[in-house]
Amino acid sequence: QVQFVESGGGLVQPGGSLRLSCTASGSIFGIWIMGWYRQPPGKQRELVATISRGGSANYAASAKGRFTISRDNAKNTVNLQMNNLKPGDTARYFCYVTSDASYWGRGTQVTVSS
């Protein structure tokens, strides 16, 4: 069984910043991809950013230039630094990892509003 600890969500004004963090633990070995997806209200889940074990990052177009993904392989942790947040970034953000299978966290809410 895989457990996730996700943190860093909250309410922020437009233009503000948040840092999301996710640590995976339990019966999980050899994590290859770690990343974040989000689900805006009333919409489908969508990619935000992923990062490989070797550090290669992939960003959605909406995230490029504003968000930075990083990971600590020793700690099975992935972080997402989000800057210049916009109301359109409001969503529930889900941690995602792949090893022998794909696993999802329960998510953390990010609300961007004045």
Side-chain angles (χ1 to χ4, degrees):
Q1 200 167 13
V2 179
Q3 295 83 40
F4 291 88
V5 177
E6 296 164 298
S7 62
L11 173 64
V12 65
Q13 292 186 344
S17 297
L18 286 173
R19 182 177 176 85
L20 305 184
S21 183
C22 169
T23 299
S25 63
S27 300
I28 186 166
F29 305 96
I31 295 176
W32 178 235
I33 299 293
M34 302 188 80
W36 293 91
Y37 282 68
R38 70 186 184 187
Q39 187 164 13
K43 296 184 179 180
Q44 292 187 336
R45 195 172 296 189
E46 61 186 24
L47 168 73
V48 178
T50 59
I51 186 168
S52 71
R53 187 170 184 83
S56 294
N58 177 50
Y59 295 93
S62 60
K64 285 182 180 178
R66 300 188 298 127
F67 296 2
T68 302
I69 192 169
S70 61
R71 67 185 279 177
D72 184 331
N73 292 330
K75 297 180 180 178
N76 286 345
T77 295
V78 60
N79 301 304
L80 184 70
Q81 177 67 42
M82 305 187 293
N83 298 327
N84 190 21
L85 283 160
K86 304 175 182 180
D89 295 316
T90 294
R92 190 161 186 86
Y93 284 69
F94 296 88
C95 181
Y96 167 80
V97 303
T98 60
S99 58
D100 60 318
S102 297
Y103 302 93
W104 294 89
R106 292 189 173 185
T108 183
Q109 180 66 33
V110 171
T111 301
V112 185
S113 176
S114 55

